[in-house]
Amino acid sequence: MKRKSGVSRRDFLKTGALAGAAAVSGGGALTASVVSASEKSKRRRKRGSLVLVNGRIHTMDDRGSVVSAVAIRGGRFVEVGHGARDVDNARVIDLRGRTVVPGLIESHTHFVSLANRPGYHVAQWELASNVAGVLAALAARRARRDVPAGAFITAMGAGTPNIWLERRQPTLAELDTAVSDRPVFLYFGGGGPARVNSLGKAFFESVTNPTVTVQADGAILGGNPNQANAALYHLRIRQTFEDKKRSARDAMAFTAQVGVTTNFDQTLVALNSATQPLDPQPNHALFNLDHYRMYDAYLALHAEGKAFTRLQINFLHNQGYTPELVRPGQAPPDIDAQLPELRERLKNQFQFFGDDMVRTGAIGEWAAPFAAPTNPNGYAVWLEAQRLCAKARWRNENSQAGGYFPIDPNSPPGTLAVPNTVNIQQVVDTYKAMEAEFGIKELRWGLQHADHATVEQLTALKVLNCGVSTSGFRWTSAPRVDGQPVGPLFPRLVQSGIPLALHQDGVHITAHNPWFALHYATTGLNNIVSATSPQGQQINPGQQISRQQAMHMYTRGAAWFCNREDDLGQITEGYLADLVVLDKDYFRVSDAEMRAIRPILTVVDGKVVHDTGVLGGGRDDDDDDDDDDDDDDGGGRGKGRR
Ligand SMILES: [Zn+2]
């Protein structure tokens, strides 16, 4: 069994996470309780053994091996092959021929935002294909009977009308039918609008400072002033730390449910802390959170041994040219006074620090807002941000998709156009300049999205040892009028040989569920269905890749992107034991069935963390909440723990 990470989980618990928890509470009671919880969880952490047999286990190793059995001990795969049994007192699960893949790695998500949602949050609304499905998900949340009287059932972010068949919001009357005795609040996308049921309407009509305007039909409008954000504010200021911990656990349960076992978080559209308050404000959108403190509840759970999916934390910095920072007598942009937050980050934060479950990443998805040379002050600040990262020997990312120029600027959107990769070229040229000045090849810089990158651009990035994580989330787009592909240009990306990952970029503008992206990359179909296109419309003609290639991007490619290819992304002896047992054979089912695949069993760190019960095993023993099970040897969470 190999151990490559420099810091053991136990050491991390003693140092980093506890320091973080103390900072949360300002010391005192919480610190003491975290210490005692940590001691307790340490005694329980003797991890159990697990053997899976009779499966079609796609290892994603170099030979493309498909095996029938794996054995897991101490959180790692110890045997991969046929008939693995060499583990004492192991729990044995008969897979009954099911298909297994490595735990999926989401290389571009805003997952920690999901872990901060106020209310009893229903992330599952993004899995609904129509309004009835949304209502069923809300009703199912209520049916768990754990939402106290007066507490909100909420669903925010990823569920936007364009992911549902009807392409509309549920109505107030429909929401009342789904949940009549608890207030319901839906907030669509990253910036609203919102919609409530009758009890939700009554609540928001009662609040002051600021007041919230609710339309007769339960709509709470976005726009300016954004009433949906004012409503969100009233829920956020009522959230307790325990509420946030519950929300973080719900987010982990959801990601395990859809098969993503590692989340590489890209922060949010961070506030410019030189000019803006970080506490909740009535004008903050869903994608605004205090980007220093939004990890606190998650880290507290981790310190208690209750974090059960993996998290890697990138830091996004959103300070562009800030006129307020120009010092008296200095000429704009006064570059030495700009980017104060990024400068402090690079001085005071450790990159890739933590343990196997929670660790930092580096800078992403950007170090400063992108600005072209036509915006001289903005460009100077963006360029300086690249230089600061290179000089500090940090990993860095930029986020550019490319697209199309209209040939005639007066033509309607989507009409005949030529490829526009100007912004990607600016990134490539700058990375080359950073290599020349500082050397960045060992740092694995990244480009997010890259949908329309040219062969030359990809070749140049590959030479610089950069990686790409591309957009799998375009499947709600309409076809282009000129018939050109919406993108990404998947075959070109694959053929370039560049380290390549696929992402959904959830949880504000799009869904978190990776099977939507895998379906899109392999079919090019959107979700606009009709009698003439019952499976959706072809919006990415000629740009499909194989299922094996797409799965590689969500496992090994993403592991490289996380700097974790020696530990994650394969079912191979010595690797961390993350895997997903699927309800259908991803490699063989029809396209339509493949889009609807869900895990029936998810294992992270050798523990069952999601179990629909199909294999009859039920969940592992719990290792949390109760105080008298110190000899517990299991530690999973399964059915009923969400
Ligand atoms: Zn993003």
Side-chain angles (χ1 to χ4, degrees):
M1 183 173 77
K2 63 180 183 182
R3 274 280 167 198
K4 294 205 171 183
S5 52
V7 183
S8 77
R9 188 168 175 180
R10 181 169 297 186
D11 288 343
F12 179 77
L13 285 168
K14 282 180 185 159
T15 55
L18 284 182
V24 176
S25 63
L30 176 62
T31 311
S33 71
V34 169
V35 169
S36 80
S38 177
E39 289 299 313
K40 197 167 63 182
S41 61
K42 221 184 320 183
R43 290 198 298 277
R44 290 176 188 160
R45 189 158 287 129
K46 189 165 59 102
R47 287 182 285 195
S49 303
L50 185 62
V51 171
L52 307 180
V53 296
N54 298 327
R56 287 190 55 80
I57 302 171
H58 291 253
T59 64
M60 302 303 290
D61 68 9
D62 290 335
R63 288 161 291 138
S65 309
V66 180
V67 300
S68 63
V70 296
I72 295 166
R73 189 175 53 226
R76 302 242 172 194
F77 294 112
V78 294
E79 217 183 318
V80 175
H82 299 277
R85 292 256 170 201
D86 185 25
V87 177
D88 296 336
N89 304 316
R91 174 185 170 187
V92 179
I93 297 176
D94 183 348
L95 296 170
R96 301 176 205 167
R98 299 281 181 168
T99 295
V100 176
V101 294
L104 271 54
I105 301 167
E106 173 56 59
S107 52
H108 181 150
T109 173
H110 302 274
F111 183 74
V112 179
S113 173
L114 184 67
N116 273 276
R117 298 277 155 89
Y120 287 72
H121 189 260
V122 182
Q124 287 76 3
W125 74 329
E126 68 165 61
L127 302 178
S129 54
N130 54 30
V131 168
V134 175
L135 300 174
L138 296 168
R141 189 68 190 81
R142 176 68 187 102
R144 283 161 58 184
R145 312 216 68 79
D146 62 346
V147 182
F152 266 83
I153 292 175
T154 55
M156 305 183 195
T160 59
N162 68 0
I163 72 170
W164 303 312
L165 178 68
E166 301 89 344
R167 300 217 157 203
R168 67 165 176 86
Q169 302 172 12
T171 66
L172 179 142
E174 287 169 334
L175 293 175
D176 277 343
T177 312
V179 180
S180 60
D181 61 352
R182 296 291 183 273
V184 171
F185 178 70
L186 310 182
Y187 180 109
F188 304 95
R195 177 78 67 159
V196 288
N197 69 352
S198 292
L199 285 178
K201 184 168 185 284
F203 171 82
F204 287 115
E205 286 174 342
S206 76
V207 298
T208 56
N209 201 21
T211 58
V212 175
T213 304
V214 187
Q215 310 294 313
D217 63 356
I220 303 179
L221 304 181
N224 191 12
N226 189 315
Q227 290 296 298
N229 289 347
L232 174 63
Y233 166 79
H234 279 289
L235 297 188
R236 279 180 167 170
I237 60 175
R238 288 166 171 79
Q239 241 183 323
T240 66
F241 194 66
E242 283 306 310
D243 290 336
K244 290 182 181 177
K245 285 170 72 176
R246 186 193 67 243
S247 187
R249 285 185 59 126
D250 282 349
M252 291 181 222
F254 180 63
T255 196
Q257 182 186 355
V258 297
V260 174
T261 54
T262 299
N263 281 291
F264 193 5
D265 190 76
Q266 299 284 357
T267 322
L268 301 142
V269 185
L271 298 159
N272 182 345
S273 58
T275 56
Q276 293 167 298
L278 297 177
D279 287 338
Q281 302 293 318
N283 65 348
H284 281 179
L286 186 64
F287 51 62
N288 297 132
L289 277 173
D290 180 337
H291 54 282
Y292 293 115
R293 300 263 66 107
M294 66 187 217
Y295 311 100
D296 292 347
Y298 198 112
L299 292 178
L301 286 171
H302 180 51
E304 295 165 26
K306 292 179 180 173
F308 55 91
T309 55
R310 300 186 201 277
L311 177 68
Q312 185 157 317
I313 300 165
N314 253 0
F315 303 104
L316 181 152
H317 289 264
N318 213 38
Q319 292 183 323
Y321 169 62
T322 308
E324 291 89 336
L325 295 173
V326 176
R327 294 165 295 186
Q330 298 291 319
D334 189 10
I335 201 72
D336 291 341
Q338 300 290 334
L339 298 163
E341 188 180 286
L342 179 64
R343 291 173 199 277
E344 291 304 317
R345 176 80 67 190
L346 297 173
K347 274 191 282 193
N348 291 302
Q349 184 83 48
F350 302 121
Q351 61 178 335
F352 305 112
F353 178 78
D355 63 14
D356 290 338
M357 293 301 288
V358 177
R359 67 171 63 185
T360 60
I363 300 297
E365 53 180 295
W366 58 77
F370 186 84
T374 49
N375 168 6
N377 287 336
Y379 176 74
V381 169
W382 176 80
L383 185 61
E384 180 68 2
Q386 314 306 303
R387 296 186 77 254
L388 290 173
C389 292
K391 213 161 136 182
R393 312 301 301 152
W394 269 60
R395 188 169 186 272
N396 178 37
E397 292 177 8
N398 274 270
S399 190
Q400 291 296 327
Y404 295 96
F405 280 126
I407 286 178
D408 172 0
N410 299 318
S411 57
T415 49
L416 194 63
V418 291
N420 172 5
T421 55
V422 173
N423 290 353
I424 295 177
Q425 192 60 43
Q426 179 180 321
V427 172
V428 171
D429 290 343
T430 304
Y431 285 12
K432 281 184 188 167
M434 295 302 106
E435 167 63 15
E437 188 174 357
F438 302 103
I440 60 166
K441 277 187 184 161
E442 315 81 63
L443 304 178
R444 295 193 181 187
W445 281 23
L447 177 62
Q448 293 286 351
H449 305 318
D451 299 23
H452 295 270
T454 66
V455 171
E456 293 73 21
Q457 289 169 341
L458 293 167
T459 304
L461 288 170
K462 190 177 174 221
V463 167
L464 296 170
N465 196 32
C466 296
V468 163
S469 178
T470 199
S471 317
F473 58 86
R474 305 289 184 203
W475 48 268
T476 58
S477 305
R480 290 180 56 83
V481 174
D482 63 8
Q484 295 195 62
V486 165
L489 308 181
F490 288 108
R492 175 188 290 179
L493 288 158
V494 169
Q495 283 155 22
S496 74
I498 198 165
L500 183 63
L502 179 65
H503 67 243
Q504 264 288 134
D505 199 358
V507 298
H508 302 117
I509 58 167
T510 179
H512 180 65
N513 176 27
W515 305 97
F516 295 151
L518 290 161
H519 176 261
Y520 178 62
T522 54
T523 67
L525 298 172
N526 70 8
N527 68 332
I528 302 174
V529 298
S530 65
T532 51
S533 58
Q535 301 298 328
Q537 300 165 311
Q538 179 54 255
I539 61 170
N540 209 19
Q543 300 301 325
Q544 285 68 65
I545 51 173
S546 73
R547 293 185 189 183
Q548 183 77 20
Q549 286 166 332
M551 182 56 70
H552 190 280
M553 291 162 77
Y554 246 112
T555 52
R556 292 187 65 174
W560 187 97
F561 208 85
C562 297
N563 284 18
R564 302 185 74 177
E565 74 275 14
D566 291 335
D567 267 328
L568 295 174
Q570 302 180 45
I571 298 174
T572 293
E573 286 174 23
Y575 275 62
L576 291 168
D578 299 356
L579 59 79
V580 187
V581 184
L582 305 176
D583 61 349
K584 301 182 197 74
D585 185 348
Y586 164 80
F587 297 95
R588 295 181 184 182
V589 292
S590 70
D591 289 340
E593 286 181 301
M594 193 262 277
R595 188 174 196 273
I597 280 177
R598 302 283 178 271
I600 55 173
L601 190 85
T602 302
V603 172
V604 178
D605 209 35
K607 299 174 205 160
V608 174
V609 298
H610 165 72
D611 185 354
T612 61
V614 169
L615 295 172
R619 64 184 206 230
D620 284 358
D621 294 332
D622 282 331
D623 71 345
D624 42 76
D625 293 343
D626 30 19
D627 289 320
D628 53 0
D629 58 348
D630 283 348
D631 55 350
D632 184 329
D633 204 29
R637 296 138 193 87
K639 196 177 180 185
R641 296 301 309 167
R642 298 188 299 279

